[in-house]
Structures are given as C-alpha cells and as structure tokens.
Amino acid sequence: GRSSNPANFIKSLPADERDMFVKALYCLLARYEGLKGAGYQCAVPSIAFDAAKEECGLGTTIECFASPLNCRYSTFCSAFPDTEACFGSMGSFFDDDAFNPVEGSFEANPPFVPETMTAMGQKIESILGDDRAGIRGPLSFLVVVPAWGAGIKFCRDLENSVHCRAAARVAAADHAFADGAQHTKTGANAGKGADLRPSSWDTAVILMQNDAGSAPLPGGSG
C-alpha cells in the first residue's frame, strides 16, 4: 500500500508524475501562503462530518467552501479551481456552471465575511426554492456560520427561512475548528490537539432542506 508519509509518496511517483505533482503542490501552497490568512481556511472538524453522516442521516456531504489542505472528502468546492481541480476541486460554489446541484447533501462553512455569507445564503435559498417539476431532487445544506456581530442578522434570516428544518447554537467554549494551517506544523507542534483552533465566538448550525430533502427516507422513521 501507499506510505502514510507524504515525502515517501512523492518519491515513489514516476519522475514525470513527480515533477507535475510537485509543481501543482507548489502553486497550491504558494497561493495560500500569499493570502496569509490561515484562520480563513479553518474547517469543521472530522468528528462533525461523522455526526452529520451517521447521526443526522445526511450521508457524505460535499463541502461548499474548502481547500485541498483542509477538505474532509475527496470532492469539494474551493476558491481557486485553476490550481485545485487536480486535487479534487469541483470549482467555486458561486460558479453556477461548477455548482448547481440537483440533489445531494452539502456542508457550507464559508469565510466569515458578511458579504460572502449573504451571497451564499441567497444561492442556497435559490437552489432550494427551485420547485420546477423534475429539476431538483432531495437537497440538504448544513450551514455553519458565526453567531456574532454582523453575522447575527444573517443567522436569524436563515433560521426564519421556510427551508430551515433545524437550528442550534454552539457556545464558543464548547467547540473548535480544524486549523487551516495544520499542514505547516511539524514535530512537537503537530498532533490531533494542535490541529484544532478554539472558536472565538458562538457558532450557528442550521439545516436547510427542500421538501424532498426533508421527506422521510423509504423504510425509515424520518
């Protein structure tokens, strides 16, 4: 099997593939290093995805805002498909050609920028509100956003939406996010605990679904 050591994996590649991989990896890392915003690339930790899959019945969720450095699954949306498509990016969440799902479960943890959150909410509402016959199947969006400052009104708007099926607030002291800079940590600074960044604020978790998405599963209890 493949080595769990990334350096050994790279060395094991044929020379031509290794050169292509290293160049693609350099472009990826250089771009995020240039942004200097590791906190903006924090993600929901793996345990939360497991809970969404097993306990909430959402199955495998595709992240609407991720990067190859912090994605939970192999397919995701990201900001820079030109350098990230080769690592599994579907493209930008805001690109209707790249992301216009007809069914499925999605996790939306956007950059905590009011304009970005508002645009995300508008697109989710548009997708879930598309009730043309035969166009959309079951759709679920698990939205994770900060419940602070300018985000409060946004959270309330989503919680009051006709597509909101469940909502909760998680106190800042009770959760953490996966650190967007975890790939830079080595030695004593690496490890499961060090990969988490404590939350500075309460977080709102909101489940948005269309009618088909909220319908009981066949043979299930709902």
Side-chain angles (χ1 to χ4, degrees):
R2 288 181 175 177
S3 169
S4 59
N5 185 314
N8 290 340
F9 165 70
I10 294 173
K11 291 177 182 177
S12 71
L13 295 173
D16 56 340
E17 293 183 18
R18 182 167 60 249
D19 289 345
M20 292 177 61
F21 179 83
V22 169
K23 290 177 182 178
L25 182 61
Y26 172 81
C27 291
L28 168 70
L29 294 175
R31 196 164 206 171
Y32 283 104
E33 180 64 19
L35 289 176
K36 292 292 186 183
Y40 298 143
Q41 284 298 312
C42 283
V44 171
S46 296
I47 190 173
F49 284 101
D50 294 340
K53 179 179 181 180
E54 303 296 338
E55 298 180 29
C56 299
L58 295 180
T60 298
T61 54
I62 292 177
E63 291 172 87
C64 297
F65 300 89
S67 82
L69 303 176
N70 68 6
C71 58
R72 176 64 174 86
Y73 299 112
S74 59
T75 301
F76 53 91
C77 291
S78 73
F80 309 117
D82 56 328
T83 54
E84 298 173 354
C86 58
F87 294 103
S89 173
M90 300 167 53
S92 170
F93 168 84
F94 295 112
D95 183 348
D96 290 338
D97 291 330
F99 186 80
N100 188 23
V102 296
E103 63 181 13
S105 295
F106 306 89
E107 183 267 351
N109 174 220
F112 296 163
V113 177
E115 294 81 3
T116 301
M117 293 190 293
T118 297
M120 176 200 71
Q122 291 171 344
K123 179 161 184 177
I124 290 176
E125 291 279 20
S126 177
I127 291 172
L128 295 179
D130 185 0
D131 57 1
R132 292 173 292 169
I135 299 298
R136 310 281 185 184
L139 284 161
S140 299
F141 287 86
L142 189 63
V143 179
V144 181
V145 288
W148 55 254
I152 291 292
K153 181 181 184 303
F154 174 75
C155 292
R156 290 174 179 166
D157 288 345
L158 284 193
E159 290 166 346
N160 292 327
S161 167
V162 296
H163 299 116
C164 177
R165 309 305 184 192
R169 300 286 179 91
V170 185
D174 294 337
H175 70 294
F177 289 91
D179 194 338
Q182 57 185 290
H183 63 285
T184 66
K185 298 179 180 180
T186 59
N189 293 323
K192 181 174 290 188
D195 291 344
L196 297 177
R197 178 187 289 255
S199 181
S200 301
W201 42 73
D202 295 352
T203 293
V205 182
I206 305 166
L207 178 61
M208 310 281 289
Q209 295 177 310
N210 61 5
D211 290 341
S214 63
L217 297 174
S221 57

